[in-house]
Amino acid sequence: AKVMLALSQDVGHRLRIHELAARGVQVYIRGNDLGGAQFQCTLPIATQLPNEIAAAAIRIRIITSLN
């Protein structure tokens, strides 16, 4: 969760610099075998807030790990 929040802070900062907002979140996770999986979701409201971006990314990962 700490890594996801740190990455989300970078994304939020870049969004604010360019006066943009995220409407979706995409996460790509790579394993030790270099295989990977991609997960994505849309956000109910466009945002620049790192906490909201990180929370969505964490929710994506938790939901997909349950399936």
Side-chain angles (χ1 to χ4, degrees):
K2 287 182 182 182
V3 171
M4 197 66 71
L5 183 56
L7 293 171
S8 297
Q9 288 174 338
D10 290 343
V11 170
H13 179 71
R14 282 182 273 156
L15 288 169
R16 286 188 299 278
I17 287 172
H18 297 289
E19 298 179 1
L20 298 172
R23 297 195 55 157
V25 174
Q26 179 178 354
V27 177
Y28 185 83
I29 299 172
R30 181 171 294 171
N32 292 335
D33 63 354
L34 298 181
Q38 173 180 293
F39 309 98
Q40 56 191 359
C41 73
T42 57
L43 299 173
I45 299 172
T47 186
Q48 298 175 331
L49 299 175
N51 290 343
E52 290 182 7
I53 296 168
I58 291 167
R59 276 194 309 274
I60 292 170
R61 187 62 189 124
I62 290 171
I63 290 169
T64 56
S65 67
L66 296 176
N67 292 332

